[in-house]
Amino acid sequence: MTCLRILCMYYLIWTTSANALFSTIGNVYYNMSYNSTSTIITHLIVKKQLLCAAQCANQFANCNTAVFDSSITPQSASILYRWNTTGITVAGASNGSTGTADNLLLNPYGTALGSFDSLYIADFNNNRIQKWLSNASNGTTMAGLSNGTYGRSSVALTLPVSVALDPNDNMYFTDRDNHRVVYWANGASSGTTIAGITGTPGSTNDTLCGPCGIARDSNTGTLYIADTFNHRIMQYLLNASSGTVVAGGNGPGSNNTQLAYPYGFTFDSPSNSLFIANYPNNNIVRWVLGASSWTLVIGSPTGLSGDTSTLLNNPVGITLDPLGNIYVADSGNHRIQFFIAGQSNGTTIAGVTGSSGISQNQLNYPYWVTVDNQLNLYVSDNSNNRVQFFSHS
């Protein structure tokens, strides 16, 4: 049998029929048609399990052609996927109540998943970082003051936006109106400013102005920071006292050398690039590190907003799954949009397009989306003051 050319990052168990191959990757299913020269992946549901390349190679020991081909990506004529469209409130009050009590939130923003399925939330207008354990009815303040008081000391925050974690659940978060990034060790009672100058906005390489999104390269410890009001993304190497502009920095605009108020972004290590939500430009762009301009991924190149499957309205948060599929918190359309890797035509998987509300199938300005290793969604439902969970099924 001719060996099929596939992206062999995954453990495959397969059988063949006369004209098709059906493979299982944990709970991921590919329905592939093939001939002697090519393979076309036509269906993808979801990736659940990764194994090392060596294990993959053992499964194909008898193949007479290469099985490691990173150029092959799912080329989907149609995609099978399914999420429960009714959300479950996992943090905050399901009825939208606000407050500083430990079971309430006030305009939650960025989220991150920690050990033991814990959920870290930038409780924006409560000026704190909250940790919610799985199935808990209340959170615990991990950074900032539990009573919601703002400040610019080593123990107080002012409008934190997003949080990133290392493997030990040490926190790195943007403290927006203090114009800094703070490192806060797991269990510590105070934090340390590691980027920016506390309380001092600026546009030099050692200052920030209203930083929002943050991402951490787990391999190198490098931080990427959305310096939102400077319309740029900054790179801070491990222990560096100043950063380097790696995207934008040419003033606000829609030109492909510019960004405009980038709130959320994600760092994609395999492609060494940033996927950036250009908030007022209503698009998602890809900026390869080292490049001088971006390429359009989703939305309008001219900034046109809309509620169709190809347009966005003030996108804020963005994340990728391990297959490169894109999830966008399309805030102005009150929905989460799902885009297959390489495609610009999306599908609404949470919320109701153009309809804000408090019911469990609605969202009200979703600002952030996080995907766990089972492809379940955690959505910061900002104006409903809660975090919603949408299970993958």
Side-chain angles (χ1 to χ4, degrees), residues 137-155:
S137 58
N138 59 273
T140 302
T141 301
M142 302 301 291
L145 301 175
S146 61
N147 64 5
T149 302
Y150 69 88
R152 61 176 55 172
S153 67
S154 62
V155 299

Side-chain angles (χ1 to χ4, degrees), residues 15 32 36 72 97 195 260 266 321 347 365 367:
T15 58
M32 296 182 281
S36 61
I72 301 300
S97 297
T266 189
D321 67 26
T347 301
Y365 290 99
Y367 275 6

Side-chain angles (χ1 to χ4, degrees), residues 93 96-100 104-107 385:
S97 297
T98 66
T100 59
L104 297 175
L105 301 169
L106 182 54
N107 302 126
N385 306 295

Side-chain angles (χ1 to χ4, degrees), residues 133-286:
L133 299 177
S134 181
N135 299 316
S137 58
N138 59 273
T140 302
T141 301
M142 302 301 291
L145 301 175
S146 61
N147 64 5
T149 302
Y150 69 88
R152 61 176 55 172
S153 67
S154 62
V155 299
L157 311 176
T158 304
L159 303 182
V161 171
S162 65
V163 57
L165 303 173
D166 69 15
N168 297 314
D169 285 358
N170 300 311
M171 296 178 290
Y172 304 78
F173 54 82
T174 53
D175 189 13
R176 194 191 78 175
D177 279 22
N178 283 324
H179 310 290
R180 66 182 179 180
V181 171
V182 176
Y183 170 77
W184 200 298
N186 188 5
S189 58
S190 63
T192 303
T193 298
I194 58 172
I197 299 173
T198 301
T200 303
S203 58
T204 58
N205 280 357
D206 63 345
T207 59
L208 304 168
C209 186
C212 288
I214 189 170
R216 181 176 182 271
D217 183 347
S218 59
N219 294 318
T220 64
T222 297
L223 291 178
Y224 297 91
I225 303 162
D227 191 11
T228 303
F229 291 85
N230 280 325
H231 315 287
R232 64 187 186 179
I233 308 292
M234 300 295 292
Q235 179 192 68
Y236 273 73
L237 301 178
L238 184 64
N239 298 321
S241 58
S242 64
T244 302
V245 179
V246 291
N250 298 306
S254 58
N255 186 281
N256 68 354
T257 64
Q258 296 175 301
L259 299 174
Y261 297 98
Y263 283 92
F265 73 97
T266 189
F267 170 63
D268 182 47
S269 180
S271 66
N272 197 37
S273 60
L274 304 170
F275 287 78
I276 305 166
N278 240 342
Y279 176 77
N281 286 340
N282 303 300
N283 57 28
I284 304 298
V285 301
R286 178 173 178 259

Side-chain angles (χ1 to χ4, degrees), residues 42-62:
T42 56
H43 291 82
L44 160 66
I45 299 180
V46 62
K47 187 191 76 59
K48 289 281 182 76
Q49 179 180 352
L50 290 171
L51 293 180
C52 70
Q55 290 173 292
C56 185
N58 291 336
Q59 302 301 314
F60 292 90
N62 296 323

